[in-house]
């Protein structure tokens, strides 16, 4: 039996001391970082194109964001059941290729003056649909590459790269929109997806997939198994409810926020990008803290306090006026606190979810939580556009920011808040979960 210091465990996964020496983990890390850079660049570039170039109003921006988020509601459960039957590397590579083509086509159409709102709707829906495939596969891939005792450390590293993308993506996108053009910024997003494609293709470890019977379970049955598993686990059920409350309110807030910054505070595209990018440094800190604080103070205490502080930061934004340096500095501080708290919650929740979920159920569990937690985001975006039109930007921003605090309230009223310093035990795989991946 291998010693703890072995480079590779008996399951073929890297031992704790060799996580960063493992080529496959590095490829996953680089691919995920590039993918997040492309995603965070396009998440700012496409709405700014609509607002600044096509003069979209609040309602149209809400619809645009809702169209991009609709695939989460429409596809998550199907994708989760499908991903558990296939190798995550294949799913991620194909998703990156599709997003490269979609954003590349948008950039070309924009340069030719052919990218109107209808075409923009098609692009954001395509990118959103492919992102669902990539994200579900990515959340399942780490479990197949590293040991259980490396989940928190591995998630911390991957989420740290996502934090870096949150810094670079919006800042780069806003600067490119201001200095050059939205089509050129979209082209940069396509290049990031292409780099992710090339990196993830370098993963060589062969993933084992669940054994397929001559008559595999129907897709509906597999979806039902995932739903039943998540609903039956107290921790995962609470994660779903807290995530739904947060994501619905956050989607509404961001629709208002993307209008509030350029139209109420009169910020330029680069200043908007800088304000959004401020979450990145905070998220980097959150990733580092996530590798240390839960083991010291307990997973429940960290989740509750980080959610309350991070989500509450946006309550200060409606009090800001003008585009002075003080206003920009205040937005940077809000973004930093929100990023730190949010990332601390993300990493901790992902570790808990992966710890209590059998390997053969990882894709379906991730997709079910995504479906429940983020399925309402299209409605949240529409609500944000409606509130901005009917109530004004400041009032709407205050209401939607307050709504995000429902998330820590839900966690405080559940056993999730009482989790201790160690991760919960993973149940043994049964007939409905499939055998573990090698």
């Amino acid at each position: 039996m291998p010693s703890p210091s072995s480079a590779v465990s008996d399951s073929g996964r890297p031992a704790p001391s060799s996580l960063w020496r493992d080529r496959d983990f590095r490829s996953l890390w680089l691919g995920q970082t590039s993918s997040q850079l492309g995603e965070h660049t396009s998440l700012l570039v496409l709405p700014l194109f609509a607002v600044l170039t096509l003069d979209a109003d609040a309602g149209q921006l809400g619809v645009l964001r809702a169209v991009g988020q609709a695939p989460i509601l429409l596809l998550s459960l199907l994708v989760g059941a499908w991903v558990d039957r296939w190798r995550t590397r294949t799913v991620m590579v194909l998703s990156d290729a599709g997003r490269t083509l979609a954003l590349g086509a948008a950039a070309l159409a924009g340069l030719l003056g052919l990218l109107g709102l209808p075409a923009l709707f098609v692009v954001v829906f395509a990118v959103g649909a492919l992102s669902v495939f990539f994200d579900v596969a990515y959340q399942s891939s780490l479990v197949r590459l590293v040991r259980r005792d490396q989940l928190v450390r591995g998630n911390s590293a991957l989420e740290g790269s996502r934090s870096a993308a949150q810094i670079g993506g919006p800042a780069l996108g806003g600067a490119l929109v201001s200095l050059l053009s939205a089509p050129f910024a979209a082209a940069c997003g396509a290049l990031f997806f292409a780099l992710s494609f090339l990196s993830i293709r370098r993963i060589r470890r062969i993933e084992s997939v669940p054994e397929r019977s001559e008559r595999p379970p129907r897709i509906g049955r597999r979806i039902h198994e995932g739903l039943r598993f998540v609903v039956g686990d107290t921790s995962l059920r609470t994660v779903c409810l807290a995530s739904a409350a947060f994501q619905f309110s956050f989607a509404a807030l961001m629709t208002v926020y993307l209008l509030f910054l350029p139209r109420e505070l009169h910020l330029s595209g680069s200043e908007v990008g800088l304000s959004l990018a401020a979450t990145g440094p905070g998220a980097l800190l959150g990733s580092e803290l996530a590798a240390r604080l839960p083991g010291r103070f307990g997973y429940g205490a960290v989740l509750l306090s980080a959610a309350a502080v991070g989500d509450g930061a946006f309550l200060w934004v409606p009090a800001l006026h003008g585009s002075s340096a003080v206003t920009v500095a205040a937005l940077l501080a809000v973004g930093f606190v929100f990023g730190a708290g949010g990332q601390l919650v993300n990493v901790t929740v992902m570790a808990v979810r992966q710890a209590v979920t059998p390997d053969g159920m990882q894709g379906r569990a991730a997709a079910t939580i995504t479906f429940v937690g983020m399925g309402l985001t299209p409605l949240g975006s529409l609500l944000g556009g409606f509130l901005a039109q009917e109530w004004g930007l400041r009032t709407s921003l205050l209401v939607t920011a307050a709504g995000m605090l429902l998330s820590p309230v839900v966690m405080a009223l559940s056993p999730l808040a009482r989790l201790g310093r160690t991760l919960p035990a993973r149940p043994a795989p049964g007939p409905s979960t499939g055998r573990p991946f090698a």
Side-chain angles (χ1 to χ4, degrees):
M1 189 172 184
S3 67
S5 61
S6 300
V8 179
S9 73
D10 56 354
S11 66
R13 299 171 182 173
S17 61
S18 62
L19 183 62
W20 281 106
R21 294 202 299 269
D22 184 76
R23 172 180 171 175
D24 290 334
F25 178 79
R26 293 199 308 271
S27 296
L28 176 64
W29 178 86
L30 178 58
Q32 188 257 6
T33 302
S34 303
S35 175
Q36 289 294 322
L37 275 170
E39 184 171 343
H40 285 285
T41 298
S42 60
L43 283 176
L44 178 66
V45 168
L46 298 179
L48 280 183
F49 186 94
V51 172
L52 300 178
T53 303
L54 303 179
D55 199 28
D57 59 27
Q60 290 171 324
L61 181 61
V63 172
L64 179 69
R65 284 175 48 80
V67 167
Q69 295 158 345
I72 299 171
L73 179 63
L74 299 175
L75 300 176
S76 292
L77 295 178
L78 289 172
V79 171
W82 189 72
V83 165
D84 274 339
R85 305 288 292 173
W86 294 89
R87 292 184 172 88
T88 58
R89 173 188 177 276
T90 301
V91 178
M92 290 188 287
V93 164
L94 293 176
S95 300
D96 279 331
R99 291 187 292 184
T100 300
L101 293 175
L103 273 184
L108 180 60
L111 290 172
L112 297 175
L114 302 176
L115 190 63
L117 274 176
L120 202 57
F121 288 157
V122 174
V123 171
V124 297
F125 183 85
V127 172
L130 293 167
S131 294
V132 171
F133 279 90
F134 184 93
D135 291 343
V136 171
Y138 146 68
Q139 292 183 57
S140 303
S141 63
L142 185 65
V143 184
R144 308 182 191 182
L145 290 178
V146 305
R147 293 158 46 117
R148 173 184 166 84
D149 57 5
Q150 288 297 100
L151 285 177
V152 173
R153 186 178 174 187
N155 279 314
S156 179
L158 291 173
E159 291 299 309
S161 72
R162 188 163 73 95
S163 306
Q166 287 177 329
I167 300 172
L172 177 62
L176 291 175
V177 170
S178 294
L179 300 176
L180 298 173
S181 66
F184 190 86
C188 288
L191 290 176
F192 285 127
F193 287 132
L195 177 59
S196 178
F197 167 85
L198 295 173
S199 177
I200 292 176
R201 282 189 71 235
R202 297 179 69 245
I203 296 177
R204 290 292 177 260
R205 184 169 296 126
I206 301 300
E207 300 175 31
S208 296
V209 296
E211 295 176 354
R212 301 179 186 179
S213 61
E214 294 182 0
R215 299 182 63 183
R218 294 178 180 273
I219 192 74
R221 177 183 171 185
R222 294 180 58 77
I223 291 174
H224 179 261
E225 289 172 354
L227 287 168
R228 184 176 61 186
F229 176 78
V230 171
V231 171
D233 185 276
T234 304
S235 296
L236 299 184
R237 187 169 63 244
T238 301
V239 168
C240 282
L241 295 175
S243 178
F246 169 79
Q247 295 293 351
F248 177 79
S249 300
F250 184 64
L253 179 139
M254 283 305 297
T255 299
V256 180
Y257 198 59
L258 288 172
L259 292 165
F260 182 80
L261 296 184
R263 293 186 177 174
E264 190 74 21
L265 298 184
H266 307 292
L267 300 185
S268 66
S270 58
E271 288 172 326
V272 172
L274 182 63
S275 299
L276 295 177
T279 60
L284 283 174
L285 175 62
S287 294
E288 290 297 318
L289 295 177
R292 304 175 183 179
L293 295 187
R296 182 175 182 181
F297 299 105
Y299 285 84
V302 169
L303 282 173
L304 189 59
S305 57
V309 173
D311 296 348
F314 271 103
L315 290 172
W316 296 96
V317 176
L320 300 177
H321 293 271
S323 58
S324 66
V326 175
T327 296
V328 174
L331 291 172
L332 293 176
V334 168
F336 182 87
V337 173
F338 175 74
Q343 191 74 324
L344 187 50
V345 171
N346 288 341
V347 175
T348 307
V349 162
M350 189 174 294
V352 171
R353 192 265 297 168
Q354 291 171 338
V356 303
T357 304
D359 287 349
M361 186 67 72
Q362 289 286 342
R364 282 170 285 175
T368 299
I369 293 173
T370 299
F371 173 78
V372 177
M374 299 190 67
L376 294 178
T377 53
L379 298 179
S381 294
L382 292 174
L383 176 64
F386 173 79
L387 292 179
Q389 287 183 320
E390 300 296 323
W391 292 4
L393 295 177
R394 290 188 186 277
T395 302
S396 301
L397 200 58
L398 181 62
V399 170
T400 53
M404 291 197 299
L405 291 175
L406 290 174
S407 177
V409 170
V410 169
M411 287 192 287
L413 298 176
S414 77
L416 193 65
R418 297 190 291 275
L419 287 178
R421 299 178 182 180
T422 58
L423 288 169
R426 176 179 297 174
S432 64
T433 61
R435 68 174 176 81
F437 291 95

